[in-house]
Amino acid sequence: EYRLDTYPNLQLYMSKLFLLTDDFDKAKELALKEIKANSTSEFGYILLGDIYTKQKEYLKAEKQYKKAQKINGNNVDMLIGLAKINFKKSQYELALDLFLKARNYAPERAEVHKLLGDAYRKMSQSTLAIESYKLFLELSPTSKYKGEINTYIRTMQ
């Protein structure tokens, strides 16, 4: 631990690994250490938001994403995280705005196009939903959501 300063973001990456294995307590512990060590970086707050989201503690997650937003309002992962929270709260227009902003910063990320399609579908904008879903499938042709999305596309056409 005395050499942690020489390994930037080590706690951040270790926390992400624990989150992937659903060890939320250890992930949270390391995320909090990352925030303490790098309080001027948005990444620890985003990670903590992701942890809370996975635990379905959406209000806590939203609070962390908003802290990250104050540091860097253009971070794609923060935008996606906040948008997902708003989507869960059925605030589709706000979610859509955030997804669109995320798409503008990272059009190569397939996940953004799928989430955009979901938002458009919830808002009954079939043409835009189909367009977003097709872009998602182009960027991620082997996705586990492929069958589900093709069903959505056929239904909306």
Side-chain angles (χ1 to χ4, degrees):
E1 276 190 41
Y2 75 93
R3 292 189 58 201
L4 272 176
D5 292 340
T6 62
Y7 297 100
N9 298 323
L10 178 64
Q11 294 176 124
L12 182 77
Y13 296 125
M14 287 174 52
S15 179
K16 286 183 179 188
L17 288 172
F18 283 109
L19 177 58
L20 288 172
T21 61
D22 292 336
D23 188 342
F24 301 121
D25 293 333
K26 190 67 177 171
K28 201 178 305 179
E29 174 190 329
L30 290 167
L32 290 169
K33 283 183 180 180
E34 177 65 25
I35 289 169
K36 187 175 180 183
N38 298 305
S39 61
T40 58
S41 170
E42 72 271 20
F43 299 113
Y45 297 108
I46 293 168
L47 180 57
L48 199 52
D50 292 345
I51 293 166
Y52 286 132
T53 298
K54 203 161 181 186
Q55 291 180 303
K56 298 186 184 341
E57 294 184 49
Y58 301 116
L59 292 176
K60 288 181 180 180
E62 183 176 30
K63 185 178 175 183
Q64 297 306 314
Y65 291 131
K66 287 187 176 183
K67 285 180 183 179
Q69 187 178 34
K70 288 179 184 175
I71 296 168
N72 180 1
N74 299 328
N75 183 291
V76 174
D77 292 319
M78 175 277 302
L79 291 168
I80 291 171
L82 260 181
K84 284 179 176 179
I85 298 293
N86 285 297
F87 190 85
K88 289 275 185 199
K89 295 186 329 188
S90 299
Q91 295 176 340
Y92 302 122
E93 288 183 23
L94 185 54
L96 179 65
D97 288 342
L98 291 165
F99 286 139
L100 287 169
K101 193 172 180 183
R103 184 195 63 192
N104 290 339
Y105 288 113
E108 74 285 352
R109 286 187 57 178
E111 173 191 21
V112 175
H113 296 286
K114 180 196 177 297
L115 294 168
L116 259 173
D118 293 342
Y120 283 131
R121 188 169 47 88
K122 286 289 187 180
M123 296 172 68
S124 300
Q125 296 182 15
S126 300
T127 305
L128 293 170
I130 291 168
E131 184 181 313
S132 293
Y133 283 144
K134 284 183 177 179
L135 270 170
F136 169 75
L137 291 173
E138 281 179 32
L139 292 170
S140 185
T142 59
S143 169
K144 65 180 181 179
Y145 301 109
K146 186 177 182 176
E148 177 183 337
I149 288 175
N150 281 326
T151 301
Y152 289 152
I153 291 171
R154 279 193 303 275
T155 303
M156 287 185 281
Q157 286 175 332

